[in-house]
């Protein structure tokens, strides 16, 4: 189907694009794009090839943008965590750890590409960090994926303009999962380890995370584009 579309477009470019209302295409919002696109094709068959070409190009651009965002966030997470470890040795693995890079989880409130990006970043760091526990790559990555995914789903629930429930998700999931892992390898009791992890995560998200959230909030439309 794609080859047929491209062949026809190159064969009759003027005919296809002369009937394409490009300004109408720009006006359609991203959320309802697929539904609106289907409606347009069913109503006006003369624009089918032009719209199909634009839709295909649009989806490719969206995938490329999301992949780029995820890759940049993964790299930023790893770099910031290593930088903190260099300046304050082992501060990312204390009993009550204050891993500043966890503040990047706030980006999940603005676009879903942050979910795989930060999860991969956590995975890469835990795989490369020599003092990581054996299950860190699995447990840490799973906790990050669950936390950021929950943050995105709960992003519209706010208390005086602050998405407090979302900001506490990393503390919740890391407390249970990482707390279990610490108890498994180090001991000391599950609940005390869970409490330590929760305090560290909550401290990061409620301080650095809140600052980052309010700094990015005026640019929500651009981040969602």
């Amino acid at each position: 189907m794609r080859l047929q579309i491209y062949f026809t477009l190159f064969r009759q470019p003027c005919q296809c694009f002369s009937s394409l209302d490009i300004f109408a295409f720009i006006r359609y919002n991203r959320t309802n794009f697929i539904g609106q696109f289907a409606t347009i094709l069913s109503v006006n068959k003369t624009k089918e090839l032009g719209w199909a070409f634009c839709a295909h190009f649009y989806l490719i651009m969206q995938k490329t943008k999301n992949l780029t965002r995820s890759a940049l966030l993964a790299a930023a997470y790893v770099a910031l965590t290593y930088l903190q470890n260099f300046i304050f040795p082992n501060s990312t693995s204390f009993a009550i750890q204050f891993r500043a890079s966890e503040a990047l989880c706030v980006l999940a409130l603005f676009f879903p590409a942050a979910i795989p990006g930060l999860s991969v970043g956590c995975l890469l760091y835990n795989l490369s960090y020599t003092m990581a526990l054996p299950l860190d790559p699995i447990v840490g990555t799973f906790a990050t994926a669950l936390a950021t995914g929950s943050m995105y789903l709960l992003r519209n629930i706010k208390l005086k303009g602050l998405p407090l429930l979302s900001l506490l998700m990393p503390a919740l999931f890391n407390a249970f999962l990482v707390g279990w892992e610490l108890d498994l390898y180090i001991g000391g009791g599950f609940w005390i380890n869970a409490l330590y992890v929760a305090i560290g995560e909550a401290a990061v998200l409620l301080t650095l995370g809140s600052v980052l959230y309010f700094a990015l909030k005026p640019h929500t439309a651009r981040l969602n584009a």
Side-chain angles (χ1 to χ4, degrees):
M1 180 60 183
R2 291 181 182 177
L3 291 176
Q4 181 182 357
I5 291 172
Y6 294 150
F7 176 77
T8 307
L9 284 174
F10 282 108
R11 187 178 180 181
Q12 298 175 324
C14 295
Q15 178 182 351
C16 292
F17 283 99
S18 62
S19 62
L20 176 62
D21 184 359
I22 190 65
F23 296 104
F25 173 78
I26 295 173
R27 286 198 303 271
Y28 289 115
N29 63 72
R30 182 162 58 101
T31 303
N32 298 321
F33 175 76
I34 298 300
Q36 293 165 341
F37 173 58
T39 302
I40 290 165
L41 292 186
S42 65
V43 173
N44 192 348
K45 295 294 184 181
T46 61
K47 297 183 180 180
E48 181 173 354
L49 291 178
W51 274 104
F53 178 82
C54 283
H56 179 67
F57 180 74
Y58 173 86
L59 293 176
I60 289 177
M61 292 296 292
Q62 286 297 108
K63 290 180 180 178
T64 302
K65 180 179 67 176
N66 290 334
L67 182 62
T68 302
R69 281 181 168 179
S70 295
L72 289 174
L73 279 179
Y77 185 96
V78 174
L80 287 174
T81 311
Y82 268 112
L83 178 62
Q84 179 181 339
N85 245 353
F86 177 77
I87 299 174
F88 305 105
N90 300 322
S91 62
T92 62
S93 56
F94 286 155
I96 300 179
Q97 57 180 267
F98 192 91
R99 188 179 290 188
S101 53
E102 286 289 298
L104 294 175
C105 290
V106 167
L107 291 171
L109 297 171
F110 297 97
F111 51 86
I115 300 171
L118 294 172
S119 300
V120 171
C122 182
L123 173 65
L124 293 176
Y125 176 76
N126 288 336
L127 283 172
S128 58
Y129 185 51
T130 57
M131 295 183 65
L133 296 175
L135 287 178
D136 269 350
I138 298 174
V139 174
T141 303
F142 190 45
T144 301
L146 289 174
T148 51
S150 299
M151 291 176 76
Y152 181 75
L153 293 175
L154 300 171
R155 65 191 183 281
N156 293 323
I157 301 177
K158 299 177 182 179
L159 179 63
K160 294 184 178 181
L162 180 69
L164 184 61
L165 187 59
S166 291
L167 294 177
L168 293 177
M169 289 300 102
L172 176 65
F173 286 104
N174 279 281
F176 280 97
L177 293 173
V178 178
W180 168 82
E181 183 189 12
L182 291 174
D183 183 46
L184 178 66
Y185 287 103
I186 300 174
F190 166 76
W191 290 109
I192 190 65
N193 283 307
L195 178 62
Y196 285 156
V197 174
I199 290 174
E201 287 287 337
V204 172
L205 270 298
L206 293 177
T207 55
L208 297 179
S210 296
V211 172
L212 182 60
Y213 172 77
F214 285 114
L216 295 176
K217 190 177 179 181
H219 309 286
T220 301
R222 183 181 301 177
L223 291 170
N224 285 327

